[in-house]
Amino acid sequence: MGLTKQYLRYVASAVFGVVGSQKANITYVTLRGGERGRYVAVAACEHVFIWDVRKGEKVLILQGQKHEVTFLCPSPDGIHIAVGYEDGAVRIFSLLNGESNVSFNGHKSAVTVIQYDGLGARLVTGSRDTDVIVWDVINECGLYRLRGHKDVITQTLFLRDKNLLVTSSKDSFVKWWDLDTQHCFKTMVGHRSEVWGMALLNQDNRLLTGSADSELRAWDISYLSISSAHTFVCFVSLSVSQRILSCKKAGSILREARDRVVSLTTDAKARVIACHGNDSALELFTVLSEEEVQKKMAKKLKKAKKKAEAGEDASEPAVERALKDEIIRLTNIKASAKIRWVDCLSCAGGELKVAMLLQNNTVETYSLKMSDKTPAANKTARLTLGGHRTDVRTLAFSSDNLAILSASGDTVKVWNRSTLQVIRTMACEYALCSLFVPGDRQIILGTKSGKLQIFELSSGSLLETVDAHDGALWSLCLAPDQRGIVTGSADKTVKFWDFELIKDEGTGHKRLTVKHTRTLQLEEDVLCVRFSPDHRLLAVSLLDCTVKIFYTDTLKFFLSLYGHKLPVLCLDISHDNTLIATGSADRNVKIWGLDFGDCHRSMFAHDDSVMFLQFVPKTHLFFTAGKDKKIKQWDADKFEHIQTLEGHHREVWCLTISPNGDHIVSSSHDKSLRLWERTREPIILEEEREMEREAEFEESMAKGDVPVVPGETQGEAAPAGKKTVETVKAAERIMEALELYKEENRKMEEHKYACGHAGKEPNPILVAFGNVSVMFCSVLCVVITSELEVSLLVLPFSYVPELLKLFSGYIQQGLEVELVCRCLFFLLKIHFGQISSNQMLLSVIDELRMNTLSKVQEIRDVMGFNCAALQFLQREIESKEEVMFFADATGKLEEKKKKRRKRERAILTIA
């Protein structure tokens, strides 16, 4: 048997170059009791970055898994943040340590909105799948799913003092839900197009909605008391909606922008409204309090009386109260680019802080004093250093593997590979290709306008701009002797350039330049050029879908490689000059021999255009990048696919491999740069293919519908859970544990072994746990709390009787009583008919009823006793040491601070 070829695995190392992803919103957060308005949370592909806007630094990264973040919502206490993902999952992270212990899985597609209730005990999520789900954060479980909307959910809001929920959607409807009965009691149909945003004002007595036009519509909400509702019911037959509340249009506020509302938000007290469209202007409105409105109306009345007296009008002047008297325009803020998301925060002293995530990978923060007559916004911070404004189209590694060059439409940046910090940022034209000059002191860029730009890294200055071509300069390649470069352009020419040192007239020092030596004229646009490592041949890909190979010294034609159906966008030649690999827009990669130009193999590589291809140095392995968001590794000798690197969420434009082959950097349309590292872990191809098949099978298995609960109709309310791979696996583990329990019971009955003597040895799993009860209990505890109910729903009924008998024993022993009661009540609910009709289970159910009541009461008594004891201890310690505990202490501290400030002001005035 011959030796097998060993491949080493590449794994994701870091994500950098992205300041904030466009898919998810921006929000202010508080870290470890720090200053309010100092930290903002933004999505960064699948991660969440917490930025310190004052220092312009990343202070915390909340690690995601593989799906893109789509929404962020901090909890009311500021300790947690809920993160929604593209696959419909929601995870709650702690802002103290960046860890996630709670996750919810209920939506089938991307989460579009998340909202906490006032206490932070419940969470409501809306999704692209048109469902709204209410989650219990404390119990870590889903409460119910609300169905009724026909399009993407755009906003969800809890009402503060009432158990009501209001939701808006792209189906143009605003729906009111009674959470006690889980039904929609009112649908507002006053919008002609999608409702994009919504806010509650004036202690939940007014609703403001933003749609696809320039109007912000206001609706007055009137809540009917129980007594008045009963009075009405006595005389007239009222609908359900009228018995809870009524909505009446109060008017409209006209925005300056003519397009749709992109986002509409308010501060925590709903005193400031911020909204914007698809442009760079943010409009701020302020909601006046009742006292301020009364003062304004009094002034208006006084003015009207004076006018009436001057005109000698005998009638009493009347002034009507309008919406524009209650909501007034504060100011407009002009951002440096189009706004994607906004968040605002009211701080002490009447200061308003505004954070904006822009469409060009930038975060800007502004501050303004609301007490000023004409508030002017001051820009306080701008986060730009950590990324490019536009997509990175070219990458390069330095010869020592330590520096990474990335260039986009307006800037070129040099990064330190180990720290991922920016070393240099320089303004440039639209870059399409780049390289480090030997020695790594200068870089050369090829631009869309056909110019070559040479930069000095030590000073970060542009040394020279050379007008190289008349069309876009698509490709740039360093000569193997490192004395020059070759360029290929859309002007149908390939030009050869030599490096030269000339004396700079300004400084008198020598500087680098390039001297044009030869030109190769071709019949089609040049897309890519590459030298063979021995400097003998030059490969040129043309727009006519062919690759022409010429001798470098004489520029005579040698070979033509044809077979691609669409133009070849990338190519590379192996280190030993024997193979050339070409990647095309027809999604195929072809491997050719350089001796005779014969095609060794054509492989279907990607689901979209192959954008970049490069050999790993000193091997016949190569990587390809495609518009299908994937990077793939191939073996050019065995024509095998080795591994796929998944991580990017948009088209991958380019990649570069370090000279030692240990690192790869890739860039994508999602604005991110990703670093991949080669590990020492070998890849076994058969196992890789097996894992891929297993992943596909698991995905298809999880896509099946959740079993229908008997007796439940498919109405507006439904269970919150979703069948996933994890829930199916959890159900399988429960079934395996039950089978083991049955088997051990059968053995005990047959007296095959007793107390560890004679006969067959006990199961090793049981030996590890001690006994069946502990083993099964640990299996239940391992199931994620939010997925427990769906796991039990998947469980066949044949296992339920044994499960009920086990639960009875657990409750008697006091093992995990809360968890067992939750499982018990859920199983009784979904299998009520079969359990109640089974005479064999009558005694078990009766026993459960007695034990459950007594045990739960016992636990409640213990908790009550402990709470009373803790309160007693608190009072004792406070009376002895005069120390205030917990919440009281913070209140006292604030009072002391206020007194100290008053004393300081008094001293200053006296001085």
Side-chain angles (χ1 to χ4, degrees):
M1 181 181 170
L3 286 171
T4 56
K5 201 168 184 178
Q6 191 184 54
Y7 306 108
L8 296 178
R9 188 181 298 281
Y10 283 82
V11 295
S13 173
V15 178
F16 62 106
V18 57
V19 177
S21 295
Q22 308 301 303
K23 268 209 166 181
N25 59 316
I26 184 172
T27 180
Y28 277 108
V29 292
T30 309
L31 283 189
R32 300 177 194 89
E35 180 189 337
R36 290 185 76 222
R38 181 170 176 175
Y39 304 101
V40 294
V42 291
C45 300
E46 69 271 24
H47 306 305
V48 176
F49 288 169
I50 311 292
W51 290 92
D52 183 339
V53 292
R54 186 183 291 175
K55 293 182 179 178
E57 295 175 356
K58 253 179 281 183
V59 291
L60 186 64
I61 298 175
L62 308 179
Q63 297 284 343
Q65 289 164 347
K66 71 173 185 178
H67 294 283
E68 203 170 2
V69 175
T70 55
F71 204 85
L72 305 171
C73 180
S75 62
D77 59 8
I79 296 171
H80 298 92
I81 185 168
V83 182
Y85 292 90
E86 185 77 36
D87 64 338
V90 177
R91 294 172 71 197
I92 298 176
F93 289 87
S94 167
L95 290 172
L96 301 175
N97 53 21
E99 292 179 2
S100 168
N101 297 321
V102 182
S103 63
F104 300 123
N105 231 318
H107 292 291
K108 293 177 183 175
S109 54
V111 175
T112 53
V113 63
I114 303 175
Q115 195 72 36
Y116 275 97
D117 69 352
L119 295 172
R122 288 180 303 172
L123 193 70
V124 62
T125 58
S127 167
R128 285 186 177 276
D129 63 8
T130 75
D131 288 349
V132 175
I133 301 180
V134 181
W135 307 91
D136 186 337
V137 178
I138 296 166
N139 269 339
E140 298 178 20
C141 66
L143 295 176
Y144 35 79
R145 181 190 302 267
L146 302 173
R147 293 174 173 152
H149 284 291
K150 304 296 180 191
D151 210 332
V152 179
I153 309 297
T154 55
Q155 184 60 285
T156 57
L157 298 168
F158 278 107
L159 274 75
R160 286 175 194 170
D161 302 324
K162 297 171 178 61
N163 201 19
L164 303 177
L165 180 73
V166 57
T167 61
S168 64
S169 167
K170 282 173 69 176
D171 61 6
S172 80
F173 299 137
V174 174
K175 287 182 178 285
W176 292 84
W177 305 84
D178 184 349
L179 299 183
D180 290 326
T181 55
Q182 294 119 47
H183 81 286
C184 173
F185 64 86
K186 188 176 183 64
T187 301
M188 291 165 57
V189 292
H191 303 87
R192 295 181 181 178
S193 54
E194 301 98 331
V195 181
W196 289 100
M198 193 168 59
L200 285 164
L201 313 172
N202 299 353
Q203 282 81 43
D204 296 348
N205 287 317
R206 175 163 287 161
L207 183 70
L208 195 70
T209 57
S211 189
D213 51 22
S214 59
E215 284 185 38
L216 293 178
R217 293 170 178 81
W219 311 80
D220 280 339
I221 306 165
S222 302
Y223 301 99
L224 301 183
S225 63
I226 297 169
S227 58
S228 61
H230 280 310
T231 310
F232 282 135
V233 171
C234 292
F235 294 104
V236 277
S237 175
L238 293 176
S239 67
V240 177
S241 65
Q242 287 173 311
R243 289 202 295 272
I244 298 173
L245 57 81
S246 63
C247 281
K248 191 176 75 172
K249 191 172 180 183
S252 297
I253 305 167
L254 281 175
R255 295 164 50 235
E256 288 184 359
R258 296 292 173 211
D259 55 350
R260 75 170 179 90
V261 171
V262 172
S263 76
L264 172 70
T265 186
T266 64
D267 65 335
K269 294 178 182 176
R271 289 296 307 275
V272 177
I273 304 161
C275 68
H276 65 90
N278 272 315
D279 53 10
S280 59
L282 176 72
E283 297 179 58
L284 293 174
F285 299 89
T286 184
V287 182
L288 299 181
S289 64
E290 189 61 32
E291 290 176 12
E292 290 170 329
V293 173
Q294 292 298 341
K295 281 181 185 177
K296 193 173 182 182
M297 296 310 295
K299 280 183 184 177
K300 268 193 172 184
L301 187 62
K302 197 175 180 182
K303 213 173 187 180
K305 280 181 180 178
K306 279 186 181 179
K307 202 172 182 182
E309 285 171 9
E312 294 181 0
D313 190 353
S315 61
E316 185 70 25
V319 177
E320 287 186 9
R321 181 166 164 172
L323 185 66
K324 62 183 180 182
D325 298 319
E326 300 174 35
I327 302 173
I328 59 170
R329 186 178 295 277
L330 189 62
T331 186
N332 285 5
I333 300 176
K334 185 78 173 173
S336 59
K338 288 183 178 179
I339 304 167
R340 184 65 190 89
W341 297 97
V342 66
D343 192 29
C344 52
L345 181 72
S346 292
C347 298
E351 184 187 12
L352 180 72
K353 291 184 177 180
V354 179
M356 289 187 274
L357 176 62
L358 308 183
Q359 289 186 14
N360 65 349
N361 195 28
T362 305
V363 170
E364 287 184 351
T365 60
Y366 292 82
S367 173
L368 67 150
K369 286 279 185 185
M370 291 175 62
S371 53
D372 295 348
K373 280 190 176 180
T374 53
N378 301 312
K379 190 184 289 185
T380 52
R382 189 165 188 255
L383 304 179
T384 57
L385 193 63
H388 289 271
R389 309 285 72 74
T390 55
D391 291 1
V392 172
R393 300 307 295 259
T394 175
L395 292 163
F397 253 110
S398 62
S399 59
D400 59 3
N401 310 290
L402 292 177
I404 302 163
L405 160 71
S406 63
S408 65
D410 56 355
T411 55
V412 54
K413 289 179 183 283
V414 179
W415 309 76
N416 183 318
R417 195 210 74 229
S418 55
T419 63
L420 302 179
Q421 296 298 312
V422 179
I423 303 167
R424 284 279 179 273
T425 300
M426 298 159 281
C428 67
E429 293 187 26
Y430 198 117
L432 296 175
C433 49
S434 63
L435 57 81
F436 277 92
V437 175
D440 299 334
R441 293 185 179 182
Q442 297 90 12
I443 58 171
I444 297 179
L445 300 183
T447 70
K448 200 173 183 179
S449 57
K451 294 182 174 64
L452 280 173
Q453 291 191 308
I454 305 170
F455 291 88
E456 180 79 44
L457 287 184
S458 58
S459 61
S461 58
L462 175 65
L463 294 178
E464 188 180 3
T465 300
V466 180
D467 291 324
H469 292 272
D470 297 328
L473 204 158
W474 287 111
S475 188
L476 192 64
C477 183
L478 182 68
D481 60 6
Q482 299 192 341
R483 292 182 179 179
I485 57 171
V486 63
T487 58
S489 167
D491 64 0
K492 304 179 183 178
T493 60
V494 173
K495 292 187 179 181
F496 296 79
W497 309 79
D498 284 345
F499 295 133
E500 273 193 354
L501 287 171
I502 60 168
K503 198 172 185 179
D504 194 340
E505 294 174 4
T507 60
H509 299 296
K510 286 190 174 182
R511 67 170 178 81
L512 182 78
T513 187
V514 287
K515 181 186 174 185
H516 178 223
T517 55
R518 292 186 293 170
T519 301
L520 174 63
Q521 186 67 44
L522 295 158
E523 295 176 359
E524 293 287 341
D525 291 13
V526 178
L527 298 177
C528 190
V529 291
R530 283 291 180 275
F531 277 117
S532 63
D534 61 1
H535 208 177
R536 190 172 71 93
L537 301 172
L538 175 72
V540 183
S541 76
L542 303 173
L543 200 62
D544 63 0
C545 310
T546 64
V547 175
K548 299 278 196 296
I549 298 174
F550 300 90
Y551 290 104
T552 307
D553 49 1
T554 61
L555 298 185
K556 283 187 177 178
F557 175 74
F558 173 49
L559 289 171
S560 179
L561 312 178
Y562 55 89
H564 283 291
K565 293 173 184 170
L566 289 170
V568 174
L569 303 178
C570 49
L571 60 89
D572 201 13
I573 299 173
S574 64
H575 70 287
D576 55 2
N577 312 292
T578 57
L579 298 175
I580 178 170
T582 57
S584 165
D586 64 7
R587 303 179 287 179
N588 291 315
V589 166
K590 291 182 186 288
I591 299 166
W592 318 74
L594 259 183
D595 297 333
F596 307 106
D598 54 321
C599 181
H600 291 182
R601 185 65 63 94
S602 180
M603 299 180 291
F604 183 77
H606 291 268
D607 295 329
D608 209 330
S609 303
V610 181
M611 299 303 294
F612 206 85
L613 183 150
Q614 189 176 348
F615 274 97
V616 177
K618 298 176 184 174
T619 68
H620 278 187
L621 308 178
F622 64 91
F623 280 91
T624 58
K627 277 189 175 181
D628 61 354
K629 315 172 192 175
K630 292 175 185 173
I631 298 165
K632 295 186 179 182
Q633 187 184 16
W634 307 84
D635 186 341
D637 291 331
K638 295 188 174 182
F639 317 118
E640 284 183 321
H641 171 221
I642 300 166
Q643 67 170 327
T644 302
L645 305 180
E646 292 187 21
H648 284 293
H649 301 285
R650 299 287 182 280
E651 302 94 326
V652 183
W653 296 128
C654 61
L655 61 84
T656 181
I657 304 173
S658 62
N660 61 8
D662 284 343
H663 298 91
I664 301 170
V665 176
S666 56
S667 77
S668 165
H669 185 46
D670 62 15
K671 298 285 195 302
S672 71
L673 301 174
R674 286 177 186 265
L675 180 66
W676 313 81
E677 284 184 359
R678 184 161 61 187
T679 62
R680 300 297 103 193
E681 180 193 347
I683 292 177
I684 297 153
L685 295 182
E686 290 78 13
E687 285 184 10
E688 282 291 299
R689 302 293 92 82
E690 185 64 32
M691 283 164 64
E692 284 173 15
R693 284 193 292 271
E694 276 180 17
E696 281 178 20
F697 172 71
E698 285 177 355
E699 243 177 75
S700 63
M701 184 173 64
K703 280 178 183 173
D705 293 328
V706 177
V708 178
V709 178
E712 281 202 2
T713 56
Q714 291 294 315
E716 289 177 334
K722 179 183 78 170
K723 186 180 175 184
T724 62
V725 176
E726 285 74 22
T727 59
V728 174
K729 284 180 178 176
E732 285 174 356
R733 285 198 298 271
I734 293 169
M735 285 190 279
E736 283 171 14
L738 279 170
E739 289 289 350
L740 188 59
Y741 169 73
K742 282 182 187 176
E743 188 185 337
E744 292 302 314
N745 276 358
R746 184 175 53 77
K747 285 177 183 176
M748 290 293 285
E749 284 170 12
E750 292 174 6
H751 303 287
K752 283 200 171 180
Y753 64 86
C755 304
H757 298 291
K760 196 175 177 183
E761 286 297 313
N763 192 300
I765 298 171
L766 291 183
V767 173
F769 283 102
N771 59 48
V772 181
S773 295
V774 176
M775 184 270 295
F776 188 80
C777 204
S778 64
V779 169
L780 268 185
C781 291
V782 167
V783 181
I784 298 169
T785 317
S786 58
E787 295 172 351
L788 182 62
E789 291 180 354
V790 183
S791 303
L792 292 172
L793 195 57
V794 173
L795 207 66
F797 179 74
S798 56
Y799 290 93
V800 173
E802 288 294 334
L803 208 51
L804 294 178
K805 289 171 188 174
L806 262 175
F807 287 167
S808 182
Y810 287 166
I811 292 170
Q812 277 181 343
Q813 296 169 37
L815 280 172
E816 298 288 343
V817 176
E818 287 182 45
L819 178 64
V820 169
C821 283
R822 186 179 160 198
C823 296
L824 171 63
F825 298 151
F826 184 73
L827 288 172
L828 289 173
K829 177 186 169 186
I830 62 172
H831 298 298
F832 177 76
Q834 287 169 291
I835 291 170
S836 59
S837 59
N838 191 334
Q839 293 294 320
M840 302 289 288
L841 291 174
L842 191 62
S843 59
V844 179
I845 294 296
D846 192 47
E847 193 179 339
L848 276 167
R849 180 177 61 81
M850 299 293 293
N851 293 338
T852 305
L853 288 170
S854 61
K855 273 290 173 189
V856 170
Q857 188 59 46
E858 191 181 313
I859 290 170
R860 287 176 69 183
D861 290 344
V862 170
M863 284 186 69
F865 181 83
N866 289 341
C867 285
L870 286 169
Q871 287 167 6
F872 172 75
L873 286 171
Q874 179 185 343
R875 287 194 299 271
E876 283 288 307
I877 294 167
E878 283 174 2
S879 62
K880 282 181 185 176
E881 301 183 13
E882 295 184 357
V883 175
M884 298 301 289
F885 272 20
F886 310 126
D888 296 338
T890 58
K892 294 284 181 185
L893 186 65
E894 290 297 322
E895 284 177 22
K896 282 180 183 177
K897 280 183 181 177
K898 283 179 184 176
K899 284 178 183 176
R900 193 174 68 244
R901 287 193 202 109
K902 279 182 184 177
R903 281 201 305 273
E904 285 170 0
R905 281 199 293 269
I907 290 163
L908 287 169
T909 51
I910 291 164

